[in-house]
Amino acid sequence: MVTAYLALLAYAADPSGPWDSETVAHSNFAAGFALVLTAVTAGLSWVFVKAGWVRGWWYAVPAGLAVVALLRLTLLTPEL
């Protein structure tokens, strides 16, 4: 849930103009932190799938969030 919220914050950041580099930096930080949290979530998903508590499709949750965060960090970065 926290990862999805950070990704949402990263996408909600919209710089006011070419002077607003602080908003871009905050967006990049939120997307980067969301990417780190997806790695943690993927590790937890692996543990839970190996334990048999959840099914394998739970890998899709951290994978989807990782794609969202990577897109924000690379192709959809806010421009100044």
Side-chain angles (χ1 to χ4, degrees):
M1 211 48 157
V2 174
T3 307
Y5 179 68
L6 284 172
L8 176 70
L9 283 179
Y11 277 95
D14 190 25
S16 297
W19 62 88
D20 197 9
S21 61
E22 186 175 336
T23 302
V24 175
H26 290 165
S27 172
N28 289 340
F29 177 77
F33 194 54
L35 192 59
V36 169
L37 286 177
T38 57
V40 172
T41 307
L44 288 173
S45 296
W46 179 76
V47 169
F48 294 152
V49 168
K50 288 294 181 187
W53 296 336
V54 294
R55 300 209 181 247
W57 64 269
W58 275 92
Y59 291 126
V61 174
L65 289 171
V67 167
V68 167
L70 279 172
L71 281 175
R72 184 59 174 183
L73 283 172
T74 56
L75 297 177
L76 301 175
T77 303
E79 296 183 18
L80 293 178

